[in-house]
C-alpha cells in the first residue's frame, strides 16, 4: 500500500536508548523514544502525529477512566536476516482492534492509519529493537475515550496511540496453573473476545488468590457450569492428548489469539490432528490420571509458547511430563521462530516488512 497519510513527526532531541541496555530488560517497563497519537473528534480521525514518548493529559471526567471504554492490542516486530524489521500478522491485529472497538461502541481505526502509523513508528524506533536472540519490539496499540463528561454514554471523542517496548527472550518457568471454578473471566455474550481493559482488571483478584496459593496463573472455565476450559491467564491454552492437539473452540467469551491461530495452522501443516471443541476439566484430569495428557501450554504474543508443568484441580496438583525437545510445543515454537527470523519460507505472508 502506498504511504498516503501525512504523519507529522516530531523527533526527540534526547534519545533514551541507553535505558534499553539496562539489564535485565523487564517486560513493558522501558519504552522506545516515540509514540504515535491520533485523535478522533466530530466523527473523524484527525491528523496523526509521531511525538516523543510522554504523558497524555486527560480530563478528570475522562469517560475511559469512569466507564471503561478502553481497548488495546499486543503484537511484535522482529529483526529480519537482512538487517530490517518485519511485523508479524499486523492486519490480524488491526482487524481484532476493530472487533474490540465495535463491541465497546468505539470508532474503527482505518487500515491505512493503523498500518502506516505502525510502520512509520517502528521504522523510526527500529534502533531500539535488541539484536539479541529472542529480541523483538513489543508493540502496544490502544484506544480510549476522551470525553470529559460523566454521562454514561459512548464518548464522542477518542485517542488512538501506539507505544513500543524493546523485549528480549521471554523466559517463562514451566507454569503452575489451576482450574478456577468460582470466579469467571468472561461469560457467553460478554466481552471476553475483545481486548478491552476491564477484562484484565477484573481478572486480577482471582489471579492474586491463586498466586497466594503458589500458582502462576489460572485456567479459566465457562461462566455457567465452571467445567469447560476457556483460557489460561491472558493466553489461549492447548492440550496434547494421545498425540492430538486439542484447544477450546472460539466463542464470545474467548479471545481469538493470533498465536493460537498460527500454532493451529502450523500443527495442521505438520500433519497433527487438531480439534477445536469444548474441553472439560474432567477430560483434562482424566487424561492426566490415565497418562495420556502429553503436553499443555499457553499461547500468546508475549511468551509465544509457555509450557505448563503443573495443573491444580480441587486441591490436588497433577504433574505433567517435562517438556522434551521433540515435544510438539517445542517444534511449534521453533517453526514459528524460523518464520519470524526469515529462516523458513513464509507461505502465508505472515511477515510484513516495515520498509526502509
Ligand atoms: C491477547 C490475549 C491472548 C493472546 O492473543 P495473541 O494475539 O496470541 O497475543 C489470549 N487471551 C487473552 C485474554 C488475551 O488478552
Amino acid at each position: 500500500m502506498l504511504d498516503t497519510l501525512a504523519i507529522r513527526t516530531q523527533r526527540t532531541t534526547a534519545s533514551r536508548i541507553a535505558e534499553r541496555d539496562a539489564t535485565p530488560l523487564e517486560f513493558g517497563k522501558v519504552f522506545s523514544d516515540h509514540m504515535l497519537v491520533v485523535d478522533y473528534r466530530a466523527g473523524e480521525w484527525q491528523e496523526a502525529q509521531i511525538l516523543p514518548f510522554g504523558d497524555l493529559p486527560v480530563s478528570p471526567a475522562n469517560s475511559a477512566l469512569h466507564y471503561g471504554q478502553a481497548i488495546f492490542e499486543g503484537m511484535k516486530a522482529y529483526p529480519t536476516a537482512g538487517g530490517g524489521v518485519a511485523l508479524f500478522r499486523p492486519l490480524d491485529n488491526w482487524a481484532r482492534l476493530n472487533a474490540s472497538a465495535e463491541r465497546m461502541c468505539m470508532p474503527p481505526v482505518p487500515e491505512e492509519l493503523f498500518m502506516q502509523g505502525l510502520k512509520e513508528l517502528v521504522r523510526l524506533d527500529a534502533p531500539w529493537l535488541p539484536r539479541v536472540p529472542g529480541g523483538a519490539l513489543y508493540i502496544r496499540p490502544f484506544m480510549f475515550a476522551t470525553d470529559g463528561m460523566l454521562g454514561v454514554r459512548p464518548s464522542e471523542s477518542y485517542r488512538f496511540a501506539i507505544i513500543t517496548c524493546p523485549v528480549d527472550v521471554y523466559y517463562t518457568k514451566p507454569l503452575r496453573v489451576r482450574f478456577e471454578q468460582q470466579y469467571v473471566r468472561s461469560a457467553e455474550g460478554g466481552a471476553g473476545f475483545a481486548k478491552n481493559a476491564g477484562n484484565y482488571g477484573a481478572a486480577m483478584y482471582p489471579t492474586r488468590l491463586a498466586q497466594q496459593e503458589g500458582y502462576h496463573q489460572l485456567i479459566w472455565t465457562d461462566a455457567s457450569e465452571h467445567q469447560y476450559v476457556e483460557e489460561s491467564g491472558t493466553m489461549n491454552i492447548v492440550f496434547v492428548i494421545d498425540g492430538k492437539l486439542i484447544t477450546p473452540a472460539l466463542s464470545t467469551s474467548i479471545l481469538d489469539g493470533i498465536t493460537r491461530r498460527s500454532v493451529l495452522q502450523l500443527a495442521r501443516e505438520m500433519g497433527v490432528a487438531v480439534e477445536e471443541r469444548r474441553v472439560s476439566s474432567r477430560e483434562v484430569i482424566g487424561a492426566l490420571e490415565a497418562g495420556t495428557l502429553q503436553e499443555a501450554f499457553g499461547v500468546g504474543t508475549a511468551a509465544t509458547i509457555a509450557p505448563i508443568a503443573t495443573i491444580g484441580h480441587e486441591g490436588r496438583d497433577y504433574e505433567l511430563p517435562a517438556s522434551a525437545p521433540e515435544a510438539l510445543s517445542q517444534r511449534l515454537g521453533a517453526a514459528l521462530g524460523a518464520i519470524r527470523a526469515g529462516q523458513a519460507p513464509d507461505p502465508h505472508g505472515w511477515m510484513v516488512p516495515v520498509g526502509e
Side-chain angles (χ1 to χ4, degrees):
M1 185 186 305
L2 289 175
D3 285 358
T4 48
L5 287 183
I7 300 182
R8 188 143 49 91
T9 299
Q10 182 193 329
R11 285 172 180 256
T12 182
T13 51
S15 173
R16 292 174 289 96
I17 199 162
E19 285 178 18
R20 186 192 65 179
D21 303 319
T23 45
L25 209 45
E26 203 181 319
F27 179 82
K29 240 184 163 175
V30 173
F31 298 95
S32 313
D33 280 326
H34 299 91
M35 61 183 180
L36 178 92
V37 180
V38 198
D39 283 330
Y40 178 92
R41 56 174 182 271
E44 275 179 80
W45 288 101
Q46 310 294 311
E47 186 188 30
Q49 296 188 60
I50 290 175
L51 302 168
F53 178 91
D55 292 350
L56 299 171
V58 293
S59 160
N62 170 285
S63 56
L65 294 177
H66 294 270
Y67 308 125
Q69 273 189 300
I71 59 174
F72 66 94
E73 270 303 319
M75 56 197 294
K76 279 181 180 170
Y78 297 88
T80 63
V85 178
L87 301 159
F88 182 71
R89 306 190 74 168
L91 286 170
D92 293 48
N93 292 95
W94 166 72
R96 189 171 66 189
L97 177 79
N98 283 344
S100 299
E102 182 180 23
R103 180 63 180 82
M104 301 305 289
C105 258
M106 301 165 81
V109 175
E111 176 181 339
E112 185 184 43
L113 171 58
F114 184 89
M115 288 303 295
Q116 196 184 320
L118 185 59
K119 285 183 183 173
E120 279 191 36
L121 180 70
V122 171
R123 274 204 297 269
L124 184 60
D125 280 333
W128 280 80
L129 200 166
R131 301 248 163 200
V132 298
L137 209 52
Y138 179 79
I139 302 166
R140 171 54 63 93
F142 60 106
M143 194 204 312
F144 60 98
T146 50
D147 278 7
M149 138 93 182
L150 291 179
V152 183
R153 53 136 178 79
S155 180
E156 287 170 359
S157 61
Y158 296 88
R159 182 163 296 158
F160 171 64
I162 306 179
I163 55 179
T164 72
C165 312
V167 294
D168 51 23
V169 71
Y170 192 102
Y171 174 73
T172 50
K173 280 189 288 201
L175 295 175
R176 290 174 55 79
V177 300
R178 76 153 166 77
F179 280 101
E180 174 59 62
Q181 299 190 294
Q182 178 184 0
Y183 295 99
V184 293
R185 189 189 84 87
S186 70
E188 266 299 317
F193 69 90
K195 265 180 130 68
N196 67 296
N199 289 345
Y200 304 83
M204 288 177 188
Y205 178 70
T207 304
R208 173 179 286 176
L209 294 181
Q211 287 169 348
Q212 286 168 348
E213 297 163 19
Y215 298 99
H216 298 105
Q217 271 302 347
L218 294 170
I219 298 178
W220 299 104
T221 55
D222 71 288
S224 55
E225 296 176 57
H226 304 297
Q227 283 306 323
Y228 295 99
V229 175
E230 301 245 308
E231 304 197 41
S232 180
T234 58
M235 290 186 281
N236 295 110
I237 188 167
V238 169
F239 300 96
V240 182
I241 302 179
D242 259 343
K244 278 187 291 210
L245 191 158
I246 300 168
T247 191
L250 296 175
S251 72
T252 51
S253 62
I254 293 182
L255 191 117
D256 179 0
I258 294 162
T259 316
R260 173 188 182 279
R261 221 181 269 179
S262 308
V263 157
L264 298 191
Q265 183 152 356
L266 291 174
R268 289 189 173 106
E269 289 167 7
M270 287 174 182
V272 175
V274 172
E275 295 181 5
E276 295 180 67
R277 58 166 172 82
R278 295 217 287 186
V279 188
S280 67
S281 56
R282 200 174 314 123
E283 177 180 1
V284 172
I285 299 304
L288 275 162
E289 284 175 336
T292 53
L293 182 71
Q294 296 155 304
E295 299 177 50
F297 47 95
V299 293
T301 294
T304 304
I305 291 182
I308 292 173
T310 308
I311 298 181
H313 182 250
E314 292 177 351
R316 202 178 137 191
D317 284 344
Y318 298 81
E319 304 300 327
L320 276 80
S323 184
E326 67 280 7
L328 194 54
S329 62
Q330 304 269 343
R331 284 161 54 210
L332 289 166
L336 210 42
I339 294 172
R340 286 170 171 167
Q343 293 157 345
D346 176 21
H348 310 293
W350 286 348
M351 303 310 297
V352 177
V354 298
E356 297 301 305

